[in-house]
Amino acid sequence: MFGDKPYSNPQEAEFTLPSLEKALELVGIYFDYSMVTYRFVHRGNVEEWTRQVYQNNIGLSNLPVGNMVARTAIVLMIIAVSTLYVEMRPGGMPGGRGERLESERWYAASKYMSSLESGPPRLETIQARLGQCLYLLSSSRANECWYSFGTTMQIVTALGLHRKGPAKASNNGCSHLELELRRRIFWSVYTLDKYLSIMFGRPRLLHDEDIDQVLPEETNDEDLLEEDPTQRTGSTDSMMIASVLHYRLGRILGDISRQLYSINTHSRDSPIETAIRLTSELEKWKETVPPIFNSVHPTSLIPPLCRQSQVLQLAYSHAMMHVTRSFLLNDFTDLSRRPKVPHPMVSSHVQKCIQAAEDIMTITDGLAHQGVLIQSFWFTHYVCFCAVLVIYIHTIQQHRKSLGGSSSVSVSPVGSPNDRDKLRQLFSLAESCQQHLVEATRKNCPSRRYGIILEELRQEVHRQIGSNGVSTETRAYSSSGNDTLYVLGEGSQNANVKSVLYDTQAADFMMPSTDLGMNTGDDAGLLESLEGSIWWAQLDSWAFSNPPNDPSTFNF
């Protein structure tokens, strides 16, 4: 748990059940808003188990027995996740610092119930623990999530969920519902494994060569209860369509990580050729996405489909950045001499990276202006961090490129006036998204590191493009509220920076670049040591690693 957001009372697990009506409302929030693509529990089952918890008056003084132990843990987990979503909505944040979040109480109760389970592991065992992992991610406890997820993944492989079953469920002694849940659970674990490995910069726990499990069907939960396939009604707007699309995208994301970021890739192609091939696979995936999930205005859809559309668009753009972003850090000017990879091809993939970053920032900016950039949307925060990072690096590179790679400073980016205007617009949008990110994560210790890292890079951009006799004004955003820290450039090349603090607590938001492992001592220092995919993998993990200083010193 080191570096995670602390619990207000980690030993406290008591709880008082809300009304049954309120509990079922929270179940609906879970399925419709909180977990829109990680659909590893059956809604009908959860609603029935919730009623059973109330019928049996289950609580700490009347503990469940048998199968109901894990099922109660699932119900409490779902209440915890949904309560967190409600707490983090605009206006729903608790007031005083250190105030007990009700969602923590439900999570502690769910974890306690899981500890009571005895006998062999079951599907419910995994479902409870996987949901608990997602709660930890959403509540800024990524390190605890990582270790808990390891245990969850081991139970998955112990039950053989990574292997496909017989064509007919009855041949394996299990129902169609159980067979499909095995698939849903596995692919949810598989997809989360890929994102956690990227975010932490650590090896994947599941490997494709050990897997032959098939994807789940694109059917609604009610159809899973029908054993006769001819009686299943099916639906063109099934809530599982987005989940299966996300699982497929997760497989491509795994290929990208394995073939571009592994220590030993065992590929005959060059990294550039591999990236171009994987980019093509991503674009083919995009062509399979139904128009409803490519909506330019997803808010016109019903809320669950709207959120699914946003998640898929963010996930696709993140994958596109993941496969193309190393192009930003390398010099490919000589590739025109290689017939297999012409220079224009490389340039087009750089543009795809920038376009993906812009798409993410546009969605994030739109969510923020709608007031729905909820703190528990951990995935939105992470991909926004990646997108802003890409734009900052791209801006620095464009200015350096205008001088042929020299370490001196240029004021104007390369290209036509339209190109320069576009770059300014992107940089302005990136600064806005950084502010949104800080506001959304201002009370989250680990997530706040996103803002710390981005602020260092943002200042580096302004320092390089604004120190050549041009006065600049940059803004660093306080995490303690809406107060702003202004940093004013003097206008001469060696000007000292003046800091005018409008909020004394804003000072602790700034962190020396040496604490981040970044060298900004001279104009060329930041980028000279970058080594493509290796640097990107390290930078991803910075946001979740612990700075040399104790986090408690930052007043998080």
Side-chain angles (χ1 to χ4, degrees):
M1 299 180 188
F2 179 67
D4 285 351
K5 179 181 178 180
Y7 295 99
S8 54
N9 188 344
Q11 304 302 322
E12 188 177 5
E14 71 270 10
F15 62 93
T16 301
L17 289 170
S19 66
L20 176 58
E21 181 181 3
K22 177 63 176 179
L24 291 175
E25 177 186 342
L26 290 171
V27 170
I29 290 174
Y30 174 88
F31 284 98
D32 293 341
Y33 297 97
S34 299
M35 298 298 164
V36 293
T37 57
Y38 293 95
R39 308 189 77 86
F40 51 88
V41 288
H42 184 268
R43 186 165 187 164
N45 278 355
V46 171
E47 291 173 345
E48 177 60 27
W49 297 339
T50 303
R51 293 185 178 93
Q52 290 176 6
V53 167
Y54 281 79
Q55 290 169 1
N56 297 323
N57 196 27
I58 290 176
L60 293 180
S61 59
N62 183 31
L63 295 173
V65 295
N67 295 342
M68 280 305 297
V69 176
R71 293 173 180 179
T72 301
I74 292 172
V75 171
L76 295 174
M77 173 273 296
I78 286 177
I79 293 178
V81 172
S82 299
T83 302
L84 178 67
Y85 177 89
V86 173
E87 289 170 341
M88 296 302 166
R89 285 189 304 196
M93 180 69 71
R97 180 180 174 184
E99 181 177 334
R100 172 72 168 178
L101 290 176
E102 194 65 23
S103 61
E104 289 184 12
R105 194 185 309 274
W106 295 113
Y107 167 75
S110 175
K111 191 174 179 181
Y112 176 71
M113 290 296 172
S114 292
S115 71
L116 299 178
E117 189 179 6
S118 60
R122 305 163 46 85
L123 293 184
E124 291 93 331
T125 307
I126 305 171
Q127 290 169 321
R129 284 163 172 76
L130 180 55
Q132 291 162 8
C133 289
L134 290 167
Y135 171 84
L136 292 170
L137 265 184
S138 298
S139 61
S140 296
R141 298 178 176 96
N143 287 301
E144 185 179 356
C145 171
W146 170 262
Y147 293 107
S148 297
F149 181 75
T151 301
T152 303
M153 187 277 298
Q154 288 175 325
I155 301 175
V156 167
T157 54
L159 288 180
L161 269 59
H162 59 297
R163 302 302 307 273
K164 65 181 179 181
K168 293 184 178 180
S170 58
N171 293 343
N172 196 31
C174 65
S175 65
H176 177 68
L177 170 62
E178 182 177 348
L179 185 64
E180 280 298 302
L181 283 177
R182 290 172 64 91
R183 295 168 180 171
R184 291 186 181 189
I185 293 169
F186 172 76
W187 286 107
S188 295
V189 170
Y190 178 94
T191 303
L192 185 57
D193 176 45
K194 300 301 171 280
Y195 283 114
L196 288 177
S197 69
I198 293 171
M199 292 163 65
F200 280 101
R202 297 170 184 170
R204 299 168 301 283
L205 301 179
L206 290 167
H207 303 281
D208 284 35
E209 58 268 25
D210 302 322
I211 298 166
D212 65 354
Q213 180 62 277
V214 298
L215 291 166
E217 297 177 356
E218 297 179 355
T219 55
N220 284 318
D221 282 6
E222 52 267 26
D223 284 333
L224 299 184
L225 301 175
E226 180 58 61
E227 293 297 326
D228 185 356
T230 62
Q231 299 299 316
R232 297 173 197 149
T233 59
S235 176
T236 57
D237 60 350
S238 167
M239 295 298 291
M240 275 302 296
I241 294 176
S243 296
V244 174
L245 285 169
H246 202 183
Y247 301 154
R248 288 174 175 162
L249 186 60
R251 298 186 73 166
I252 301 175
L253 192 65
D255 288 340
I256 294 170
S257 295
R258 184 176 65 255
Q259 297 183 39
L260 290 181
Y261 293 88
S262 295
I263 297 175
N264 299 309
T265 59
H266 303 294
S267 175
R268 296 180 180 179
D269 297 332
S270 69
I272 308 306
E273 292 166 333
T274 301
I276 291 173
R277 173 174 49 79
L278 291 170
T279 301
S280 178
E281 290 186 25
L282 269 179
E283 291 171 335
K284 291 177 181 177
W285 174 91
K286 182 72 170 178
E287 294 172 357
T288 68
V289 177
I292 192 172
F293 294 122
N294 281 322
S295 174
V296 179
H297 303 289
T299 52
S300 62
L301 305 173
I302 62 174
L305 290 179
C306 172
R307 183 61 188 153
Q308 285 185 332
S309 175
Q310 291 168 341
V311 168
L312 289 178
Q313 292 183 52
L314 291 171
Y316 171 77
S317 296
H318 167 262
M320 182 61 72
M321 288 193 306
H322 193 52
V323 71
T324 58
R325 63 186 185 175
S326 60
F327 291 178
L328 300 175
L329 303 178
N330 293 280
D331 182 10
F332 299 119
T333 54
D334 63 338
L335 287 179
S336 58
R337 304 172 189 172
R338 298 177 59 186
K340 290 185 178 180
V341 189
H343 182 270
M345 181 67 76
V346 173
S347 299
S348 71
H349 282 69
V350 171
Q351 289 306 311
K352 289 176 182 180
C353 182
I354 302 305
Q355 184 61 55
E358 182 180 6
D359 292 343
I360 288 173
M361 294 190 303
T362 300
I363 293 175
T364 304
D365 191 54
L367 288 171
H369 282 103
Q370 296 166 25
V372 293
L373 189 59
I374 296 178
Q375 289 87 334
S376 61
F377 287 167
W378 62 270
F379 182 66
T380 305
H381 301 162
Y382 171 68
V383 297
C384 178
F385 164 75
C386 293
V388 175
L389 187 71
V390 161
I391 296 303
Y392 285 172
I393 293 296
H394 176 63
T395 304
I396 293 174
Q397 290 289 68
Q398 286 294 91
H399 282 272
R400 296 187 63 197
K401 182 180 178 182
S402 67
L403 297 178
S406 72
S407 59
S408 57
V409 178
S410 169
V411 176
S412 299
V414 296
S416 66
N418 288 338
D419 292 336
R420 294 196 293 271
D421 289 342
K422 179 65 175 179
L423 190 60
R424 292 190 187 99
Q425 292 172 6
L426 284 174
F427 183 64
S428 177
L429 180 59
E431 287 188 306
S432 296
C433 286
Q434 180 184 336
Q435 183 181 16
H436 299 325
L437 194 60
V438 169
E439 288 298 314
T441 61
R442 65 180 182 271
K443 293 192 177 182
N444 296 347
C445 174
S447 298
R448 203 175 145 195
R449 295 183 184 123
Y450 289 150
I452 294 174
I453 295 170
L454 293 178
E455 181 58 23
E456 289 289 335
L457 283 173
R458 191 184 68 84
Q459 290 194 38
E460 177 71 8
V461 175
H462 277 285
R463 190 174 64 83
Q464 292 208 26
I465 69 177
S467 59
N468 189 16
V470 178
S471 178
T472 63
E473 179 181 291
T474 66
R475 293 185 296 171
Y477 306 107
S478 164
S479 64
S480 58
N482 294 322
D483 307 294
T484 303
L485 163 64
Y486 286 93
V487 183
L488 304 178
E490 283 290 286
S492 63
Q493 177 124 6
N494 298 317
N496 295 324
V497 175
K498 291 182 178 179
S499 296
V500 184
L501 300 182
Y502 289 91
D503 175 16
T504 55
Q505 292 183 356
D508 73 346
F509 176 71
M510 304 309 298
M511 187 162 128
S513 57
T514 53
D515 289 345
L516 294 172
M518 299 169 61
N519 175 17
T520 56
D522 56 72
D523 289 343
L526 177 66
L527 299 178
E528 288 300 324
S529 62
L530 306 185
E531 298 181 6
S533 61
I534 297 177
W535 187 84
W536 285 110
Q538 292 173 341
L539 186 57
D540 281 332
S541 66
W542 286 355
F544 285 90
S545 61
N546 300 296
N549 307 77
D550 187 334
S552 62
T553 63
F554 294 109
N555 298 324
F556 287 144

